[in-house]
Amino acid sequence: LVCIREENQTVRSVVATLTLYNSSGSALPLRNLSAPINITLPHKDGVAPGDGSSCAAFDEGAGNWSVSGCVVVSITADATICACNHTTAYGVIPTPTFLAPDDFSNLSRIS
């Protein structure tokens, strides 16, 4: 599958960052946790269940939001609860559009 990335990914929630530090003050990145971390993210504007929102983590290496490793647990009018298997900055974004490689044959280039 290929993600068709929106250039203007509007974050629909407060952005929350979770960083753990060891006793010497160095950050401890946690990845691939067997038990996910649940994060409650209050919405900036009204977001309703079924409106196409996804939990996302900010990928510092790529410089964009990624839905990898995060899932929506529940959505209310006030907040989204996300479950993520790593520590980072979290937010709620519009659900990305994915296309299967075969779908590209149906697209034509506009020039």
Side-chain angles (χ1 to χ4, degrees):
L1 295 176
V2 175
C3 176
I4 305 302
R5 187 172 155 243
E6 293 180 40
E7 287 303 315
N8 185 13
Q9 288 182 320
T10 303
V11 180
R12 297 177 170 179
S13 69
V14 168
V15 173
T17 302
L18 176 61
T19 306
L20 301 176
Y21 296 92
N22 63 19
S23 60
S24 62
S26 298
L28 296 171
L30 299 179
R31 295 182 186 94
N32 301 317
L33 299 170
S34 58
I37 300 167
N38 284 356
I39 306 104
T40 300
L41 299 167
H43 299 147
K44 287 198 250 177
D45 297 315
V47 174
D51 76 347
S53 292
S54 293
C55 293
F58 192 75
D59 182 335
E60 292 183 23
N64 61 18
W65 291 95
S66 170
V67 295
S68 179
C70 291
V71 297
V72 173
V73 175
S74 66
I75 300 176
T76 67
D78 299 321
T80 296
I81 299 175
C82 300
C84 299
N85 67 1
H86 56 284
T87 57
T88 188
Y90 309 98
V92 177
I93 63 168
T95 299
T97 303
F98 291 92
L99 293 177
D102 293 343
D103 292 334
F104 283 108
S105 63
N106 298 325
L107 300 175
S108 61
R109 186 178 199 93
I110 300 172
S111 53

